[in-house]
Amino acid sequence: NRFTEPKPSEDLPAARYFGTPAGLTLYKKDDTLLIMKIGEYFSTAHDHYDCGHFEIYHRGILASDSGYYDWFGCEHHYNYLNRTYAHNCVTVSDPAKIGTTIPFWGRPDAVYDGGQLILNASWEVPDLKTMQSDYRRGVILSHTEQEDLVEITGDLSIPYRESCEQYIRKMTFEPNAGACGVFTVRDTLTALDASFIKQFHVHCQTEPNMIGDRQFVIENGGGRLVCTVVEPQNCSIDFIGGKGSEFSLNGVNHP
């Protein structure tokens, strides 16, 4: 058998949409790489609860997921590495459930994180038919791959159905805007209860610095990511990390 001959990189488009089951858009040009993932189906095992996750590389890792891959099934793995909290996603937490445990691989100490729904206790998918019926997560609403606009929009209401009536995430990259491009994430969600705690997570490899009331900057490897909170107006920005808090979830570290 012969494989398809590879094309020269200069002949490939900078952006490409990858459909079912990943539901993600990838942008790669020069020293910049963006991954924008909606995620349509969940395959358990090595899959993560990361619908809506994004990653940004520009001369260095600026926004990544978090955690360390040690051994499959360890406490760090199921309580941090593959959970929503360890990704650049939103958590919507019921204050009454913080500190409680949830069904996860039969583990008695899987903590609640306000993240995406743990489908079927995260047991393996037995077959394709069951995956299509019981393991659906995100729904791609639209995607665009143009020279000056790369965008993907998804309905994440299914993985957030325990905390939200509806949740839509739109991720947009304008590579020709500003000095090195502008990346925008817009979340439109309605929580089931006004008391639920909404958190927008951004994970990075180096310690960020505040540069304004609603701005902070992440720098790594010569790259620079300036993060600006557009809305809501009543936000608060907190930095979590450092020695003893590298893998912190609700104040508990999972090293």
Side-chain angles (χ1 to χ4, degrees):
N1 295 332
R2 293 189 54 139
F3 292 102
T4 302
E5 292 295 328
K7 294 181 179 180
S9 59
E10 58 268 19
D11 294 341
L12 297 174
R16 183 176 179 183
Y17 168 69
F18 295 85
T20 303
L24 63 83
T25 291
L26 183 71
Y27 177 90
K28 172 69 175 76
K29 187 176 181 181
D30 301 328
D31 56 2
T32 300
L33 171 66
L34 272 83
I35 299 173
M36 297 169 273
K37 176 182 179 181
I38 295 300
E40 293 184 286
Y41 290 94
F42 190 65
S43 61
T44 65
H46 293 273
D47 209 344
H48 291 192
Y49 289 91
D50 61 349
C51 289
H53 177 58
F54 61 85
E55 296 186 43
I56 302 173
Y57 178 98
H58 177 68
R59 301 175 185 168
I61 298 173
L62 298 176
S64 66
D65 57 1
S66 184
Y68 179 80
Y69 191 89
D70 190 358
W71 57 275
F72 187 89
C74 68
E75 195 272 345
H76 172 81
H77 181 228
Y78 66 82
N79 259 336
Y80 190 83
L81 175 71
N82 80 340
R83 300 291 289 281
T84 306
Y85 206 92
H87 298 82
N88 300 322
C89 299
V90 164
T91 56
V92 184
S93 302
D94 179 350
K97 292 183 179 180
I98 295 176
T100 64
T101 59
I102 56 176
F104 199 101
W105 290 341
R107 303 306 202 266
D109 57 345
V111 296
Y112 170 80
D113 72 335
Q116 295 163 21
L117 177 67
I118 306 299
L119 294 170
N120 301 301
S122 211
W123 292 115
E124 296 286 345
V125 179
D127 51 58
L128 180 59
K129 183 178 180 180
T130 304
M131 180 178 180
Q132 292 174 324
S133 60
D134 298 341
Y135 288 80
R136 183 66 187 259
R137 299 199 292 176
V139 178
I140 304 296
L141 300 179
S142 66
H143 61 91
T144 301
E145 296 80 43
Q146 298 175 352
E147 185 176 339
D148 59 349
L149 178 67
V150 182
E151 186 173 88
I152 188 168
T153 304
D155 188 337
L156 302 181
S157 301
I158 295 175
Y160 285 90
R161 66 190 182 201
E162 291 188 331
S163 59
C164 296
E165 293 180 17
Q166 186 182 49
Y167 177 20
I168 307 294
R169 167 162 278 198
K170 174 188 286 188
M171 293 176 279
T172 305
F173 181 54
E174 300 168 273
N176 300 323
C180 302
V182 174
F183 179 64
T184 306
V185 181
R186 181 175 178 84
D187 292 310
T188 306
L189 64 88
T190 303
L192 293 175
D193 191 287
S195 69
F196 288 3
I197 303 167
K198 308 174 193 70
Q199 293 175 299
F200 184 109
H201 303 268
V202 180
H203 292 269
C204 48
Q205 305 292 307
T206 58
E207 185 175 358
N209 293 294
M210 291 295 297
I211 56 174
D213 292 339
R214 304 170 65 81
Q215 278 190 327
F216 60 95
V217 62
I218 299 167
E219 297 181 277
N220 191 23
R224 192 167 189 259
L225 177 65
V226 177
C227 303
T228 304
V229 180
V230 179
E231 56 181 352
Q233 294 299 312
N234 60 340
C235 74
S236 62
I237 298 174
D238 299 303
F239 297 151
I240 301 172
K243 188 173 179 58
S245 297
E246 299 91 337
F247 314 109
S248 178
L249 196 168
N250 292 332
V252 179
N253 203 37
H254 297 274

